[in-house]
Amino acid sequence: MKLLVRTALWAALCVQSIWFLTHGADLFGVSVLVVLGGFAALAGRYPWTGVPVRILMAADFLLSVGDRFGVFGRPGSPNVNWGDFAHFTTYTRQVASFLPGGLAPPLAVLATIGEITFGLALLLGVQLRLTALGAACLLACFGTSMTVSLPVAEQFHYCVFVLAVGMLGLAAAERHPLSLDTVLTRTRRRPSPYLSVERAEGR
């Protein structure tokens, strides 16, 4: 991980930790601090520490999408943020209050497509450098919009900027174990058995 990104990640973790100490942290917040803290400290020596980061971010994206389609219950149910896409669209309108209200439905659809795409790509380990950069940009947009339109506690509650910097760290990582990227790279580098036979025969 590049020094600048590592420094930014430690700074974001420190700010997020201070907020949790003064406002309290839930299981998700503690998970973010533990997983990204371990990644910031050990990524240079142990590349596998990027795997929990991918799983955490993929789960955050995909569970959030499931929530807006009612997978975890109807609107108003315990631990359900939206419960259906209409409530998510209303929330999108609140988050993007500085934009015309008519843009909320397409923004909600685009955000959902982005979260599904990045979530699956992170989980499988596909084009991880580009995927992580895209996820970081999406999270930065979420965090900026939340900060402008909602109380500052909103983005801290969801650890948005910490996760965004964590995605930058993932993009800057040299290796990505347990990913399709690694499997495909090894496959391309593996010599063809036919070529080996030809060399042995002196062709």
Side-chain angles (χ1 to χ4, degrees):
M1 192 191 311
K2 305 300 183 183
L3 179 60
L4 181 61
V5 176
R6 188 190 300 272
T7 302
L9 181 54
W10 278 121
L13 285 168
C14 287
V15 173
Q16 186 71 53
S17 298
I18 293 171
W19 190 87
F20 279 149
L21 287 173
T22 55
H23 294 79
D26 56 13
L27 179 60
F28 173 72
V30 173
S31 300
V32 169
L33 293 183
V34 171
V35 171
L36 288 181
F39 180 58
L42 302 173
R45 182 174 295 181
Y46 304 106
W48 60 263
T49 54
V51 177
V53 176
R54 286 167 40 204
I55 294 173
L56 176 69
M57 194 67 255
D60 187 32
F61 278 148
L62 297 177
L63 291 175
S64 177
V65 171
D67 186 325
R68 73 194 63 166
F69 287 109
V71 173
F72 308 112
R74 298 168 62 86
S77 300
N79 302 316
V80 170
N81 290 321
W82 305 296
D84 58 32
F85 204 78
H87 281 77
F88 177 68
T89 301
T90 300
Y91 178 74
T92 302
R93 186 175 290 108
Q94 295 171 350
V95 170
S97 61
F98 49 88
L99 296 175
L103 292 178
L107 285 176
V109 171
L110 288 174
T112 300
I113 293 173
E115 289 176 73
I116 292 172
T117 302
F118 293 137
L120 292 176
L122 286 168
L123 194 62
L124 298 174
V126 179
Q127 292 292 320
L128 277 175
R129 192 176 300 277
L130 291 177
T131 297
L133 285 174
C137 291
L138 183 63
L139 289 164
C141 290
F142 287 165
T144 302
S145 297
M146 287 178 178
T147 303
V148 171
S149 302
L150 303 173
V152 68
E154 188 79 1
Q155 68 86 11
F156 276 115
H157 178 72
Y158 292 107
C159 306
V160 181
F161 284 118
V162 176
L163 290 170
V165 182
M167 287 295 97
L168 289 179
L170 189 65
E174 297 295 332
R175 289 184 289 165
H176 299 287
L178 298 179
S179 67
L180 283 179
D181 284 350
T182 301
V183 173
L184 293 174
T185 299
R186 288 176 179 173
T187 302
R188 294 191 194 100
R189 290 177 179 174
R190 187 176 301 164
S192 169
Y194 300 106
L195 183 60
S196 301
V197 172
E198 289 177 357
R199 287 177 176 174
E201 293 177 352
R203 295 179 185 175

